[in-house]
Amino acid sequence: MEYIAIVLANIVAILIIAPIIDGIERKIKAKLQCRKGPPILQTWYDLVKLFRRPSIVTEEYSLAYVISPYIIFANMTLALALVPSFTRISLSFFGDIIVLVYLIASSSIFLAIGSISSGNVFATIGANREISLATLSKLLMALVLATFATLKRALTLGSIFPIIPPYTLSAIISIILFAIIAYIDCYKLPFDIPEAEPEIIDGILVEYSGKSLGVLKYSTYLKRILLFTIIVDLILPRNIPTLLLPISYFTFLLALSITYVCVETYFGRLRIDQALKFMKTMVPILLVVWFIAYLHY
Amino acid sequence: MLTSITEILNLLKKYGKVEKIHKDTYVVEISPGKVRELCEILHWKLNGHFSVTVGSDERPVNGYFGVYHVFLLDKQKLSVIVHVKVNPVTLKIPSITPIIPGANWHEREAHDFFGIFFEEHPNLERLILPYDWPEGIHPLRKDVNVRELRYKLLKKETGLVVEKKAEEEYIVPIGPYHPALHEPEYFELYVEGEKIVDARYKGFHVHRGIEKVAEERLTINQVPFIAERICGICGYTHNVAYCQAVENAARIDVPLRAKYIRSILLEIERVHSHLLWFGVLFHLLGFDTGFMMTWLVREKIMDLAEILTGNRKNYGMNLVGGVRRDINEEKIKLSLETLDYVEYKLRKILDKMLKLKEITSRTKEIGLLSREEARKLSVVGPVARASGISTDVRRYHPYAAYSELEFKVPVYDAGDVYSRALVRYDEIFESISMLKQLLKNIPKGDLTAENVKVPEYRKGLGLTEAPRGENVHLVITGRENKVYRWRPRAPSYNNVPSTLVMLKGEKLADAPAIIASIDPCFSCTDHVVVIDVRTNVKQVLRLKEIARGK
Amino acid sequence: MKTPRIDIFKEALKTGVVTKKYPFEPVEAPEGFRGKPSIDFEKCIGCEACVNICPPNALSVEIDTKRGIKRVMLFLGRCIFCGRCQDVCPTEAIKLSREFELSSLNSKDLYQIVELKMAKCKICGRYYATVRQILFTAKNVPKDQRPLLLLCDECRSKVSAKHISYARW
Amino acid sequence: MSLKLFRRSLWVYHLNSGSCNGCDIEVLNIFTPYHDVERLGIKLVASPRHADVIVFTGPITRETLPKAIRAFFAVPEPKAVVAVGSCACGGGIWYDSYAVIGGIEAFYRILENYYKIRLPLTVYVPGCPPKPEAIIYGIAVLRGVLKQKQRKTYFLEKEVPALTRDFIVNLEKYMKQEGGINIGKK
């Protein structure tokens, strides 16, 4: 019972801080652009307003369009339960690493299906881009996670984390690669292609409004936190005192998001083919790293 | 090749009666049969360029419709207006579009507004008038009372008619409301995957009927204010062009100080317009920091304009014959300080931004426009200069105080989006250096000419170099202190058709940047209106369908 | 390729946050700013000079023949803030201030209306001009010609045409 | 009612209904560093579906009218409207042109006639173009943060001197006596 309560408390804590982390990112981005920026709670204000507004459905809508935001949200919450965050404890079972990849990948697909069924041209283009990016980035992510699994000879997230020590070359390279993939998967510039505002009017999100838009936005923040959490887990040693754990986790999270946003602010958007080319070059590197990890055994 | 002015005049005399209307500007009145021959010589052989076609209803004056083709010969610093009288019964004259494709829109516009038929025009369809405009009514004819018409139109079930879209191909509509443009324009892009195979343009959403308002309601000294509102970015250049046209027509000498003040404001406008363009380009390429930083610098220029004129955008400084406000020593000092700051800041950031890899990789060799295509479509301004054509009204047809300044005209040959950016980059610094010269050397004197009297039925041509290219106003003065005919031609009018050439074969993601690269100013273009034929297919939609808002 | 990015970063940090505090702190428009035009009721004489010069017809005039009132209306929702009215006003009744906070939730709040009483022509009995305008003109006219001002344009020309001395009637 | 909802977060859809660009640029300008309305929770969105407020700039030309209607209905209720610039407020210099509808009120008249809708809360921001601060002020008025300063002013001349011959001839004398007729004071 206690175990479940802790996991639940963990998730609730993350649900609360996810928009705040986004708020902090917005604030920092604004400062880097010489402006004052919104208050840190701004993202929460936006979400609350969206939840209180009605969602308009298009005439050609299908079930997928209506429910996909909620499925994505559920996916993300579940995935967050799988990784240790504020505490050491998380849902842990044999093969949870595969479930994690599945949850992340399926939410991208649901997003694409949902927006295609809205019937809007821009949404369709956005979905197209989302799928081509997602297939590649999820392949990369699977490869990295496979490398981790090989390094630790385990299929349980609990025994994989943290990946260092030992400070082997393959471990460090794979962590860096995962950080890059996480960056791409957060759709940060120069990779925010499916939602490119000036090109295709927010792409996949164009037809969503009110609550469903709020839920979708919320899931994006959760996804970002999920990816950050994985990175933190890869580095953060878990044998420190229990009381220090939440603080160090949060500090790491903040440091990561600040680094990411500083990088993002000074980039323009790539074209989809350029982004794909960049990601394709990562595949052989990952394969090599995986092979090295295998040799370590 | 003919070069000297006298030789050209002799040549023109062979075709018809030549009349000098003001300095360096000649009107040749020729018969319809010879139009094409002369236009070909002027545009292709003499290396001039076609600038504008103006239709005019002159039945109350001489019983004919008139068509004026304006050509600018840059090398000889000459403007030639080819005047053709059109029979008011048959209304037919030969089209020059087969020779100069750039004349396409101009002739269609004259067809819309006056019902003049251009024989052998490839595509003489409605261009400008709104979708629900009744057939056979040509608003700029002098016998049409559009005010009555307006109330009739308002009573119709307007807003319910929505054009049906063709569904055979995969169409991406860019517009009418697209966040990249901030202006209602409609580009239909036909795509295969992410590649654009064809493009179509339906524009003129911002047609506001300026010419009719000016000719019917306003007096000569009120028109400058409506001219300024042709465009909110480069309005002052329209204002100056109009005033120059009237001043030329009435042979009014503007005091030198007024000319200097005009030049100062024109250059301030150019700097702010180009900075705005850079901001928009960076925003389109997803580089929001670039947008924020350039607009941060631009804000200083806007504040300066506010201090000098009393408004940030619509300066309202001109009247026919001079300017309304003076610039005192204190303001000159302030302007010089601001310019130093702006120059320092821009040198620090702007070229760094242009070196960023995402920016270069998404602008170099994108949206190509070759020199030949540019000549054919008769594009102007930075678009022409980026395609290797050296054209600049300030240099070749000097106005205001430009003949007394030292400046360079940047020309690049690549013809892509990047070279358009470079042209503008160079121009910003040229403008700042010009502003410094102007502010330091401003002479003392009056602000307005004395005895501003405007005679009837005189023609005048006003040329300015707007931030987007050459800007032409043809004015025929009328009775009772009104204009008889006023045709402002904004640079985007010549530049927009070139985007369709640039877009073909490019990636969808690059479309907004390509469209923006000509710095389209649709509200300038749309003072006159045009629509595609396909709007004839009309469909009445129910409220629900409309509310879908697709 | 890294250097330009870092240069921009440095420059941004050097510039610092520049945001104004506006809605919480007042901002003053610079001197000479063409802001809200307002009519000084005490000075307006209803001469229509501004109505004739106004490019967008934001100033309009109505004559109520029943009540003998001339109504000068300024609608800010059409005004283009060019300041021509200020240039031509003979009594400096209309002036552009530096006020720019003109927003309102009701378009009726954008009107300024002045109603001035008119005088009747002493011969035909029609209303022809505001009392203020007549008095304003009278000041600049020699005393012996002033009574002519009490007639409307038509009657005045008739009177002069008939060479009837103005002293007679 | 809708105001409370938007106190902290307001998403704006910008619709150019035939404006000259002046107002559009100023609307864009309030998002740049000097004014940065993101600090007030205001964000520019690309899709009308996401918006709480439509910003109209321009006199609404005939050509944009159907598109403006579609965009208007695409914004979920409750919504508000900001009419930026004199053109949007009352048609501006184009008010009687054949190609324009003439301002937001004429637009509402069409909506009322054909769709029978309840009109949204509207704030008028006159100016040609309005200063960025004026637009921020307009939004503050819409949210109820700041009070509206602009009020209708009305003046009716109450008493006029009787225009007699004697009065007009000896104007100077009377003016001195009464001391109150300040006609044409410079």
Side-chain angles (χ1 to χ4, degrees):
Chain A
M1 229 20 242
E2 202 180 291
Y3 170 76
I4 292 175
I6 290 173
V7 171
L8 274 180
N10 243 339
I11 290 175
V12 170
I14 287 178
L15 286 181
I16 292 169
I17 65 153
I20 296 177
I21 293 273
D22 186 68
I24 294 171
E25 284 184 9
R26 280 167 78 176
K27 188 87 184 169
I28 289 165
K29 193 169 184 179
K31 294 266 186 225
L32 291 174
Q33 293 173 342
C34 305
R35 42 196 189 97
K36 189 163 173 251
I40 287 169
L41 286 177
Q42 187 57 47
T43 310
W44 257 124
Y45 299 147
D46 288 349
L47 283 178
V48 168
K49 183 206 67 189
L50 282 175
F51 290 145
R52 287 172 63 186
R53 280 175 77 64
S55 352
I56 295 182
V57 283
T58 55
E59 217 172 52
E60 302 156 4
Y61 78 98
S62 62
L63 194 62
Y65 170 73
V66 182
I67 62 166
S68 67
Y70 300 95
I71 293 180
I72 297 163
F73 184 75
N75 271 354
M76 282 303 143
T77 331
L78 201 59
L80 278 168
L82 292 179
V83 289
S85 48
F86 281 104
T87 56
R88 236 170 266 136
I89 296 157
S90 63
L91 281 185
S92 185
F93 47 87
F94 184 70
D96 55 3
I97 191 165
I98 294 164
V99 177
L100 181 71
V101 175
Y102 164 78
L103 286 175
I104 297 176
S106 72
S107 47
S108 280
I109 288 160
F110 273 112
L111 186 58
I113 291 174
S115 64
I116 285 177
S117 52
S118 72
N120 185 298
V121 187
F122 290 112
T124 320
I125 296 173
N128 238 329
R129 291 177 173 191
E130 166 85 23
I131 297 244
S132 24
L133 271 183
T135 19
L136 208 52
S137 74
K138 264 79 211 183
L139 171 71
L140 293 175
M141 191 177 291
L143 280 174
V144 182
L145 289 177
T147 316
F148 294 148
T150 321
L151 275 171
K152 289 279 173 178
R153 299 287 177 259
L155 275 177
T156 324
L157 285 168
S159 39
I160 288 177
F161 297 141
I163 211 82
I164 41 180
Y167 296 93
T168 56
L169 183 69
S170 54
I172 292 165
I173 292 178
S174 56
I175 287 174
I176 294 169
L177 287 174
F178 186 80
I180 295 172
I181 293 160
Y183 187 89
I184 296 170
D185 221 38
C186 289
Y187 297 133
K188 291 209 165 265
L189 280 170
F191 299 102
D192 81 332
I193 298 161
E195 287 172 32
E197 186 245 328
E199 288 166 21
I200 52 172
I201 320 191
D202 276 349
I204 35 182
L205 301 180
V206 67
E207 279 292 328
Y208 284 107
S209 60
K211 282 184 200 66
S212 8
L213 180 68
V215 171
L216 270 177
K217 290 240 169 201
Y218 206 169
S219 332
T220 358
Y221 306 139
L222 288 180
K223 183 179 176 186
R224 200 177 299 166
I225 296 292
L226 173 70
L227 293 168
F228 287 170
T229 308
I230 296 174
I231 300 174
V232 174
D233 284 339
L234 291 174
I235 311 166
L236 185 69
R238 288 283 165 176
N239 49 9
I240 51 175
T242 322
L243 269 179
L244 264 179
L245 209 56
I247 301 164
S248 51
Y249 167 74
F250 190 71
T251 326
F252 263 81
L253 210 59
L254 216 57
L256 261 178
S257 85
I258 291 171
T259 326
Y260 273 31
V261 81
C262 286
V263 175
E264 185 191 12
T265 314
Y266 293 98
F267 272 94
R269 186 179 299 108
L270 286 176
R271 215 164 41 213
I272 179 102
D273 51 339
Q274 294 167 333
L276 290 178
K277 204 174 136 200
F278 175 80
M279 285 155 79
K280 273 176 202 156
T281 53
M282 285 180 72
V283 177
I285 302 174
L286 272 169
L287 286 173
V288 171
V289 175
W290 192 11
F291 187 64
I292 296 169
Y294 178 72
L295 288 184
H296 268 294
Y297 184 52
Chain B
M1 193 164 147
L2 295 159
T3 43
S4 79
I5 294 174
T6 36
E7 276 177 295
I8 289 172
L9 286 180
N10 286 336
L11 175 99
L12 292 178
K13 273 175 194 153
K14 274 188 228 157
Y15 285 91
K17 204 176 88 193
V18 179
E19 185 198 350
K20 181 176 176 175
I21 55 169
H22 51 86
K23 191 172 166 274
D24 301 332
T25 309
Y26 296 86
V27 176
V28 206
E29 197 184 315
I30 61 171
S31 65
K34 291 179 191 164
V35 176
R36 279 198 199 167
E37 202 184 325
L38 184 59
C39 289
E40 188 167 8
I41 292 173
L42 285 169
H43 185 82
W44 292 111
K45 298 223 174 101
L46 290 177
N47 224 356
H49 71 268
F50 167 77
S51 186
V52 62
T53 294
V54 185
S56 169
D57 177 6
E58 287 163 6
R59 286 175 299 171
V61 186
N62 59 16
Y64 289 94
F65 280 94
V67 169
Y68 301 88
H69 298 294
V70 181
F71 290 86
L72 301 184
L73 307 180
D74 283 351
K75 288 235 174 65
Q76 295 81 9
K77 304 196 172 183
L78 212 61
S79 324
V80 178
I81 302 172
V82 180
H83 176 199
V84 194
K85 278 185 177 170
V86 185
N87 187 320
V89 183
T90 58
L91 285 167
K92 277 182 185 163
I93 69 160
S95 160
I96 60 165
T97 309
I99 304 162
I100 307 161
N104 183 348
W105 279 16
H106 299 261
E107 294 193 334
R108 280 164 73 186
E109 182 191 321
H111 174 65
D112 265 14
F113 283 164
F114 297 98
I116 298 168
F117 290 97
F118 291 87
E119 289 174 311
E120 293 170 53
H121 188 289
N123 176 26
L124 196 62
E125 281 144 6
R126 213 185 236 198
L127 179 76
I128 290 169
L129 290 172
Y131 63 95
D132 57 351
W133 192 259
E135 286 290 325
I137 293 180
H138 305 288
L140 286 193
R141 286 191 180 182
K142 290 288 170 192
D143 50 5
V144 174
N145 185 344
V146 285
R147 278 196 204 187
E148 276 174 24
L149 205 64
R150 181 171 185 262
Y151 293 109
K152 266 188 220 160
L153 280 171
L154 270 184
K155 279 183 189 152
K156 269 178 42 179
E157 279 216 5
T158 125
L160 289 167
V161 190
V162 178
E163 58 263 46
K164 197 181 171 184
K165 285 181 189 138
E167 283 173 13
E168 5 28 290
E169 283 164 275
Y170 193 21
I171 301 173
V172 179
I174 297 269
Y177 290 103
H178 192 277
L181 303 171
H182 290 286
E183 279 186 82
E185 276 317 286
Y186 191 69
F187 282 90
E188 270 182 2
L189 305 179
Y190 298 81
V191 295
E192 281 173 12
E194 288 258 338
K195 196 182 157 206
I196 301 165
V197 286
D198 199 3
R200 196 170 301 184
Y201 170 79
K202 286 183 195 172
F204 298 95
H205 286 79
V206 196
H207 172 61
R208 292 156 297 183
I210 290 176
E211 284 150 292
K212 194 71 177 178
V213 172
E215 285 163 24
E216 277 202 341
R217 196 179 85 209
L218 303 178
T219 60
I220 284 213
N221 255 335
Q222 285 177 336
V223 177
F225 297 97
I226 206 168
E228 194 155 68
R229 279 152 187 88
I230 287 174
C231 174
I233 303 171
C234 53
Y236 188 67
T237 184
H238 283 282
N239 189 326
V240 174
Y242 167 79
C243 289
Q244 282 176 359
V246 177
E247 282 152 11
N248 284 339
R251 315 256 153 83
I252 297 166
D253 278 329
V254 182
L256 197 58
R257 188 174 178 88
K259 284 185 173 178
Y260 264 74
I261 292 176
R262 282 182 183 178
S263 295
I264 289 170
L265 292 173
L266 283 170
E267 290 310 314
I268 285 180
E269 192 174 69
R270 190 182 321 280
V271 175
H272 105 69
S273 172
H274 282 349
L275 285 178
L276 178 145
W277 180 83
F278 272 109
V280 172
L281 178 77
F282 291 140
H283 175 63
L284 292 182
L285 298 176
F287 184 44
D288 269 344
T289 309
F291 165 71
M292 292 292 178
M293 297 291 279
T294 41
W295 279 53
L296 188 149
V297 179
R298 176 179 171 272
E299 194 69 9
K300 289 276 169 208
I301 296 279
M302 302 305 288
D303 287 346
L304 178 63
E306 192 175 26
I307 289 165
L308 293 183
T309 70
N311 195 307
R312 290 159 57 91
K313 292 276 160 42
N314 291 328
Y315 303 153
M317 285 282 275
N318 274 1
L319 286 179
V320 172
V323 293
R324 289 170 66 195
R325 277 189 197 211
D326 204 357
I327 296 179
N328 59 22
E329 285 300 319
E330 201 184 319
K331 285 177 181 171
I332 288 174
K333 210 177 136 222
L334 186 87
S335 315
L336 286 170
E337 277 167 18
T338 315
L339 288 171
D340 282 339
Y341 172 82
V342 169
E343 190 174 13
Y344 167 80
K345 272 279 174 201
L346 289 180
R347 290 265 184 227
K348 282 252 170 177
I349 53 169
L350 204 52
D351 64 329
K352 304 271 166 32
M353 287 175 184
L354 284 175
K355 276 179 198 148
L356 291 181
K357 210 182 162 208
E358 314 88 66
I359 306 289
T360 50
S361 72
R362 291 196 57 187
T363 50
K364 274 188 183 163
E365 288 170 31
I366 299 284
L368 289 172
L369 185 74
S370 65
R371 196 175 186 279
E372 289 69 44
E373 287 281 1
R375 283 281 290 145
K376 254 194 219 166
L377 292 169
S378 198
V379 298
V380 293
V383 183
R385 289 198 278 278
S387 293
I389 301 169
S390 170
T391 163
D392 191 325
V393 180
R394 289 173 293 174
R395 162 69 36 95
Y396 300 110
H397 307 271
Y399 59 96
Y402 288 110
S403 50
E404 308 187 5
L405 298 178
E406 272 180 37
F407 60 97
K408 277 182 249 153
V409 179
V411 178
Y412 288 83
D413 292 327
D416 54 5
V417 177
Y418 193 67
S419 45
R420 275 166 227 143
L422 288 179
V423 167
R424 292 192 174 98
Y425 176 78
D426 290 353
E427 274 186 20
I428 288 176
F429 294 108
E430 282 303 320
S431 286
I432 291 177
S433 107
M434 266 188 251
L435 274 169
K436 285 182 179 166
Q437 295 174 39
L438 285 163
L439 287 164
K440 279 172 189 156
N441 302 328
I442 186 163
K444 293 223 156 41
D446 290 339
L447 292 180
T448 43
E450 286 167 20
N451 278 336
V452 177
K453 266 186 198 153
V454 182
E456 291 171 17
Y457 303 120
R458 285 265 195 85
K459 295 180 194 80
L461 193 66
L463 298 171
T464 54
E465 180 76 15
R468 288 156 184 76
E470 123 212 336
N471 186 0
V472 186
H473 285 221
L474 183 75
V475 170
I476 304 175
T477 59
R479 295 177 156 196
E480 291 166 355
N481 206 19
K482 293 209 166 181
V483 286
Y484 184 79
R485 175 84 177 107
W486 169 49
R487 165 73 165 105
R489 199 276 284 145
S492 297
Y493 197 87
N494 281 19
N495 286 344
V496 170
S498 68
T499 52
L500 303 183
V501 179
M502 297 176 196
L503 281 170
K504 267 175 213 169
E506 298 290 353
K507 295 283 191 310
L508 177 64
D510 292 328
I514 293 170
I515 294 169
S517 75
I518 63 155
D519 203 355
C521 190
F522 294 118
S523 64
C524 290
T525 317
D526 291 9
H527 70 281
V528 279
V529 192
V530 188
I531 306 182
D532 206 290
V533 234
R534 297 197 306 161
T535 45
N536 288 344
V537 188
K538 282 174 184 168
Q539 187 194 17
V540 179
L541 293 180
R542 282 169 296 126
L543 170 62
K544 258 190 184 169
E545 289 172 285
I546 292 169
R548 238 171 48 212
K550 225 168 41 183
Chain C
M1 276 295 111
K2 276 273 140 51
T3 37
R5 229 179 280 280
I6 289 162
D7 284 345
I8 298 165
F9 177 67
K10 275 186 199 155
E11 195 54 39
L13 285 189
K14 218 170 109 191
T15 312
V17 174
V18 295
T19 311
K20 293 176 191 165
K21 290 207 169 91
Y22 170 60
F24 311 110
E25 263 176 24
V27 164
E28 186 113 325
E31 205 173 316
F33 178 74
R34 299 197 307 271
K36 172 188 170 183
S38 51
I39 306 177
D40 187 335
F41 309 131
E42 297 301 327
K43 286 183 186 167
C44 179
I45 57 166
C47 65
E48 296 183 33
C50 51
V51 176
N52 291 330
I53 202 90
C54 183
N57 296 7
L59 282 149
S60 58
V61 69
E62 273 174 26
I63 291 175
D64 188 338
T65 44
K66 269 188 195 157
R67 289 162 63 208
I69 274 174
K70 184 184 254 186
R71 184 183 297 132
V72 181
M73 276 196 294
L74 168 61
F75 179 36
L76 288 181
R78 206 187 276 160
C79 177
I80 57 167
F81 303 87
C82 60
R84 288 291 279 156
C85 43
Q86 182 181 325
D87 297 353
V88 297
C89 184
T91 62
E92 292 183 6
I94 190 160
K95 267 190 178 166
L96 268 62
S97 65
R98 276 147 76 181
E99 182 66 43
F100 60 86
E101 291 166 330
L102 309 178
S103 308
S104 69
L105 292 167
N106 189 335
S107 65
K108 292 210 172 59
D109 282 333
L110 299 174
Y111 281 97
Q112 288 177 26
I113 298 172
V114 183
E115 290 190 341
L116 299 175
K117 290 227 161 95
M118 296 178 81
K120 271 184 185 165
C121 173
K122 295 286 180 200
I123 292 178
C124 64
R126 277 193 305 128
Y127 288 111
Y128 69 101
T130 62
V131 175
R132 286 183 176 187
Q133 193 181 351
I134 295 167
L135 293 178
F136 181 75
T137 332
K139 281 203 304 186
N140 303 325
V141 173
K143 278 193 177 182
D144 50 345
Q145 285 178 24
R146 281 183 188 170
L148 263 185
L149 294 171
L150 298 175
L151 306 180
C152 70
D153 287 355
E154 279 176 29
C155 295
R156 196 182 307 153
S157 53
K158 270 184 209 158
V159 168
S160 344
K162 283 180 187 167
H163 299 287
I164 299 171
S165 161
Y166 52 81
R168 286 273 185 86
W169 53 269
Chain D
M1 31 79 216
S2 55
L3 295 171
K4 247 186 188 170
L5 195 56
F6 304 148
R7 261 297 151 83
R8 290 246 153 99
S9 157
L10 186 81
W11 289 6
V12 171
Y13 178 68
H14 170 211
L15 192 132
N16 175 332
S17 49
S19 128
C20 70
N21 276 350
C23 300
D24 308 71
I25 300 304
E26 294 294 37
V27 167
L28 210 57
N29 210 338
I30 64 173
F31 294 91
T32 58
Y34 273 98
H35 304 287
D36 185 36
V37 288
E38 206 188 351
R39 76 201 144 103
L40 308 172
I42 301 167
K43 199 174 126 184
L44 200 62
V45 290
S47 162
R49 291 255 182 255
H50 305 176
D52 308 319
V53 161
I54 312 188
V55 171
F56 277 93
T57 54
I60 309 182
T61 57
R62 308 194 64 78
E63 191 69 35
T64 54
L65 177 64
K67 288 106 184 170
I69 292 176
R70 274 189 291 175
F72 183 84
F73 282 114
V75 177
E77 292 284 347
K79 61 186 157 216
V81 170
V82 183
V84 170
S86 294
C87 296
C89 290
I93 199 165
W94 326 101
Y95 74 101
D96 66 346
S97 166
Y98 63 89
V100 307
I101 303 299
I104 196 85
E105 295 204 314
F107 178 65
Y108 284 162
R109 238 170 281 139
I110 290 168
L111 287 183
E112 272 180 332
N113 284 348
Y114 298 112
Y115 302 100
K116 310 272 183 293
I117 54 142
R118 215 181 67 229
L119 294 182
L121 191 70
T122 311
V123 66
Y124 298 82
V125 187
C128 194
K131 260 170 93 79
E133 284 94 348
I135 301 174
I136 297 175
Y137 174 78
I139 291 174
V141 167
L142 182 80
R143 283 171 154 189
V145 179
L146 292 183
K147 280 232 173 77
Q148 177 184 332
K149 284 185 193 167
Q150 176 68 29
R151 291 282 171 223
K152 180 180 175 175
T153 50
Y154 174 80
F155 171 78
L156 174 64
E157 197 181 19
K158 289 210 180 81
E159 275 181 46
V160 286
L163 277 188
T164 57
R165 236 184 110 188
D166 174 50
F167 183 84
I168 201 162
V169 172
N170 300 314
L171 189 62
E172 281 80 6
K173 198 178 84 194
Y174 284 100
M175 279 176 78
K176 245 178 222 165
Q177 271 177 7
E178 290 172 20
I181 310 169
N182 48 1
I183 312 300
K185 245 190 217 166
K186 279 265 174 182

